[in-house]
Amino acid sequence: MITSQQMRAARALLGIDQRQLAGLAGLSLPTIQRMEASDGQVRGVVDTLVKVIRALEVQGIELIGDNAPSTGRGRGVRLRENVEGKSAGNIASALFDQTEVDGTRG
């Protein structure tokens, strides 16, 4: 349903802290902290997960699942993964000339 990384990223996009998310979702701060401390997919009571997701969506967050297209409009961020399923943070950005990235200027 939602990963801990998505929760943290969503909060960052909204500029809110864990306490504020807890308030928006009607949950306790320790519940949000526990959810965000988990590794990968957040596990918990379905009702609790739904409250968090609904609170984020009301604030304008669109949660995008693996291999799912974005149906919304507006700016967004998506984490690319490589073939092994790991974060592809070392992939060269399309904003930079490859020669700048690998250090070979022509």
Side-chain angles (χ1 to χ4, degrees):
M1 283 185 90
I2 186 172
T3 67
S4 56
Q5 295 89 344
Q6 284 177 306
M7 283 183 66
R8 290 189 299 272
R11 280 194 310 99
L13 286 170
L14 294 173
I16 62 174
D17 61 21
Q18 290 177 328
R19 186 175 307 280
Q20 290 168 303
L21 177 56
L24 292 170
L27 300 169
S28 70
L29 176 59
T31 297
I32 297 298
Q33 290 170 332
R34 186 186 74 252
M35 292 172 82
E36 287 192 5
S38 65
D39 186 30
Q41 199 79 8
V42 174
R43 290 173 181 32
V45 178
V46 173
D47 185 53
T48 302
L49 295 170
V50 169
K51 285 180 179 181
V52 170
I53 293 168
R54 186 165 292 132
L56 293 171
E57 289 176 342
V58 166
Q59 297 299 311
I61 295 296
E62 177 188 2
L63 297 168
I64 305 168
D66 286 340
N67 302 315
S70 172
T71 58
R73 296 182 54 172
R75 297 179 183 176
V77 176
R78 176 175 235 151
L79 178 64
R80 291 184 289 180
E81 291 185 346
N82 61 21
V83 178
E84 291 83 32
K86 297 179 181 166
S87 172
N90 61 345
I91 294 177
S93 171
L95 296 176
F96 299 101
D97 185 344
Q98 183 60 40
T99 58
E100 292 178 22
V101 174
D102 64 18
T104 58
R105 293 194 175 256

